[in-house]
Amino acid sequence: MLTDGRLVYGGGGEELKVFHVRDGLGMKLAQRAGLKVGILSGRESGALASRARELGLDCAIVGRTDKAAAFAELLAAQRTAAERVAYAGDDLVDLPVLLRCGLSFAPADAVPEVAARVDRLLERPGGRGAAREMCEIVLKARGEWERLVGPFIARGV
């Protein structure tokens, strides 16, 4: 969901990814609110791992096509229950997690089978601010949004 789903390869065969800066800030704001933020991707991607490190995400599980098993490992490692997790996904491989987590989201361009089964279908497509939108929804519901954006407004940013 952090990318638009396209695969782009450079001349040397390296995989390239494009990330939206607003998604990154949304995840950082969620962390400032005390939430743990991570990614679970079915594809092995050096670019995604680099982005996760750059953002200082709490966990990054990549290259795991069996997302149900990876999610179970994530829950054990974080010592939490599935019901306490908000998760977003856009394709069939995400369904086992989306159907188990406490709050599920999908970007506007999710496949129909996913879009029909999530708690909230986002307005933004994957790779174009959907993660930010999800973070804003969660932070507003928790009453955290105004406190988190206040310093930006006060500085005139």
Side-chain angles (χ1 to χ4, degrees), residues 47-71:
L48 184 57
S50 292
R51 182 67 171 147
R53 279 191 306 275
E54 175 187 41
L55 292 172
L57 298 184
D58 298 290
C59 67
I61 300 174
V62 298
R64 300 290 303 275
T65 55
D66 183 350
K67 289 194 176 183
F71 186 58

Side-chain angles (χ1 to χ4, degrees), residues 1-2 19 27 36-42 45 47-53 55 57-62 67 70 74 87:
M1 190 174 99
L2 292 180
F19 302 99
M27 291 185 283
K36 290 189 176 184
V37 179
I39 54 171
L40 174 56
S41 176
S45 169
L48 184 57
S50 292
R51 182 67 171 147
R53 279 191 306 275
L55 292 172
L57 298 184
D58 298 290
C59 67
I61 300 174
V62 298
K67 289 194 176 183
L74 178 136
Y87 182 86

Side-chain angles (χ1 to χ4, degrees), residues 10-12 14 20 29 52 59 83 91 103-104 106 117 122 130 143 148-149:
E14 69 278 12
H20 201 295
L29 291 172
C59 67
E83 299 80 28
D91 210 346
L103 184 58
S104 59
R117 288 171 176 82
L122 300 165
L148 292 165
V149 300

